[in-house]
Amino acid sequence: MDSSPPRFDVAVVGAGAAGLGLALALAREGIATALVGRHAPVADGRTVALLDGSVRFLDALGAWAEVAPHAAPLAELHIVDDTGSLFRPPPARFVSTEIGLPAFGWNVESARLVETLRAQARSAPGLTLFESDAVGLERDADEARIGLEEGGPVAARLVVGADGARSRMREQAGIATREWSYPQAAITTLLAHERPHRDVSTEFHTRQGPFTLVPLPGGHRSSLVWVTGAGPARRLSELEDADLARAIENQAQAMLGAMRIDGPRGLVPMRGLSVASPVGPRIALVGEAAHAFPPIGAQGLNLGLRDAAALRDSVLAATSDGRDPGARQALSGFARSRSLDARLRTAAVDTLNRSLLSSLIPIDALRGLGLLAMTTIGPLRRIVMREGVLPRLGAPSLMR
C-alpha cells in the first residue's frame, strides 16, 4: 500500500484573506495547490479598506462581484490634526477623482471578505483543502513536508507561510524576526450614526494615536479604529454600548451626529513585526507572517494581498519555464521586491504613529509641515495618493 503523502507544486498554510487569495490565484493558473488551515474568522468589528490594486486582484479572482455589494467606496480622505500642537495645520482633504479613480478603495467587513474567498476556495478546480492546523515543517533539497494536526502530511515543492503574525511555518523554518510593541491598543467596532458619511473617511490625529471613521454601505454606518493608550483602550472596551457610543461621538467632535454601536467590538494590541527575509529554503512568507504593524492608513492587508499577487507571478514564471518554484533562484525577485515594499510601508506607519506620541516641538513642526505640503502642493499630493493606493514600481500583474 502506497503511504506517500499527496504532492503539490505549492502548499499555502493559512486560511486568512492573503492565503486564500494566493491559493485561488495559483489554482486558476492550473498550478497544483493545497490550502492548509481552519476557517475561523474572529468577530471583532474589524473591516478592511481594500485599495484599488487589491480590488483589481480580487476582481481577477472572480471574487469582487460577491464582495462589492457589501463594500462602501472611499471617495475622500480627510485628516484632522487634533493633537493640540502649536504647528497644527488646517484639515487636509484628498479626493480620489484627482488621480482618476472613482474611489481610493472600498471598505468591507473582514469576516465578509474571508467568507467570500472561502466559498470560492471550496469550489475552485485544482485547489485541494486540508482543514487542519499545520504542526510541523520538514525540508530537503527537493521538497517540503507539512505535518497536520489531523491526517497525514502534505508534500510540496514550495510551502507558503500565510499563517499570521505568530506563524508556525516561519518559526519552523528558522526565519529571523524583529518584533516590537507600542504603548497603545485599538478599539474596533461598527457604528450607526445620525448624519451621512458621504463616502468620506475621516482620520483624527490625536496625542494617543489615530482615531479613524471609515464608511460602510448604507450611508449611515461606519467602522471605527480608535488607537489610544493601552490603559484607556482597556477601560473603553469595558464600557456599556451606550457609554462607548457617547465617548466615540465626543472624540469625533459630533461630526456624524448621535451614534450607537452596531456590531461586535475588539481590542487589538499595537505591535510590529518584520523578517530578515520573506523567503528561505522551500518556503516563502506572505501577509502578517512577513510583516505586521498597527492598523493605520489601510496598509496591512493590502500589503499582504500584494505579497500574494507577487508570489503568484513568481510561481507562474518559474513553472511556465519548467523551473522549480521552490528554488532559491526562483524566489529571489519576489524576496527583493516584497522586502522593499514592506520596509517602506512599515517605516511610514511607524514614523507617523511615533510622531503622534511625541510632544517634541521639532517633530510636531515636521509632521505639520508635511501635511501642509501635501495639502497645498498638487503634484506632491497626487504622488502621495497614487503611491498610497498602489506602488507604481514593480506592481504585480493582477493589480495593474
Side-chain angles (χ1 to χ4, degrees):
M1 182 175 180
D2 186 6
S3 60
S4 63
R7 284 178 164 78
F8 300 89
D9 291 321
V10 181
V12 180
V13 179
L20 285 161
L22 173 59
L24 285 165
L26 293 173
R28 288 175 68 86
E29 300 295 342
I31 295 166
T33 306
L35 177 65
V36 178
R38 299 184 190 278
H39 175 50
V42 178
D44 61 1
R46 298 189 73 169
T47 64
V48 57
L50 295 163
L51 300 179
D52 185 67
S54 296
V55 170
R56 292 172 188 268
F57 179 54
L58 294 173
D59 195 36
L61 301 183
W64 179 241
E66 295 292 324
V67 175
H70 308 285
L74 310 180
E76 294 189 23
L77 169 62
H78 295 178
I79 298 178
V80 180
D81 190 314
D82 196 21
T83 62
S85 166
L86 293 172
F87 299 93
R88 183 171 58 185
R93 177 172 175 257
F94 302 92
V95 183
S96 62
T97 53
E98 189 176 354
I99 56 171
L101 295 175
F104 292 118
W106 283 259
N107 194 38
V108 64
E109 293 181 43
S110 299
R112 172 78 67 175
L113 173 63
V114 172
E115 287 165 7
T116 300
L117 291 172
R118 190 65 172 185
Q120 294 250 330
R122 289 187 186 280
S123 59
L127 179 56
T128 304
L129 273 58
F130 296 87
E131 297 192 46
S132 172
D133 290 328
V135 294
L137 174 67
E138 296 179 357
R139 295 169 293 168
D140 59 30
D142 299 315
E143 69 177 18
R145 290 193 182 200
I146 304 165
L148 304 182
E149 192 172 76
E150 299 172 10
V154 173
R157 293 197 287 172
L158 173 65
V159 169
V160 180
D163 49 343
R166 302 188 185 280
S167 170
R168 183 170 288 184
M169 292 298 98
R170 184 188 66 224
E171 180 184 355
Q172 294 273 325
I175 294 176
T177 63
R178 183 174 71 91
E179 299 184 49
W180 62 95
S181 62
Y182 302 88
Q184 299 161 289
I187 298 288
T188 59
T189 193
L190 308 179
L191 304 165
H193 40 78
E194 182 181 16
R195 297 176 189 152
H197 53 59
R198 304 186 190 282
D199 299 335
V200 176
S201 179
T202 304
E203 187 172 290
F204 292 85
H205 288 173
T206 80
R207 276 289 177 225
Q208 293 74 44
F211 170 96
T212 309
L213 296 166
V214 190
L216 283 170
H220 290 264
R221 295 180 73 239
S222 294
S223 61
L224 169 75
V225 179
W226 186 354
V227 178
T228 187
R234 186 177 61 255
R235 290 190 288 274
L236 286 166
S237 72
E238 294 169 352
L239 293 177
E240 298 292 333
D241 279 0
D243 294 329
L244 178 58
R246 278 192 293 272
I248 295 167
E249 183 182 339
N250 289 337
Q251 186 67 47
Q253 302 175 9
M255 60 173 288
L256 294 176
M259 293 185 171
R260 65 178 172 83
I261 306 301
D262 195 39
R265 52 165 105 168
L267 179 63
V268 185
M270 295 293 96
R271 298 191 180 109
L273 177 147
S274 64
V275 295
S277 171
V279 304
R282 300 273 156 207
I283 189 168
L285 304 176
V286 302
E288 289 196 340
H291 42 71
F293 43 75
I296 296 171
Q299 294 300 318
L301 179 59
N302 289 285
L303 184 58
L305 292 178
R306 284 205 295 281
D307 294 341
L311 188 54
R312 172 261 184 197
D313 289 352
S314 174
V315 171
L316 184 60
T319 55
S320 297
D321 294 343
R323 291 179 290 125
D324 181 349
R328 271 281 194 177
Q329 188 174 4
L331 296 171
S332 59
F334 167 82
R336 284 193 302 272
S337 66
R338 302 317 306 143
S339 292
L340 177 60
D341 194 6
R343 281 198 301 270
L344 292 174
R345 303 290 155 163
T346 301
V349 169
D350 183 73
T351 300
L352 171 59
N353 192 41
R354 293 186 189 277
S355 75
L356 293 173
L357 295 175
S358 172
S359 58
L360 294 174
I361 290 175
I363 294 177
D364 270 354
L366 285 172
R367 187 183 64 250
L369 287 170
L371 192 56
L372 185 62
M374 284 190 289
T375 303
T376 56
I377 303 173
L380 174 62
R381 182 175 60 253
R382 288 186 284 275
I383 289 170
V384 170
M385 286 192 290
R386 289 191 188 100
E387 287 300 304
V389 170
L390 179 67
R392 285 189 161 187
L393 185 63
S397 61
L398 294 184
M399 290 188 165
R400 295 173 194 155

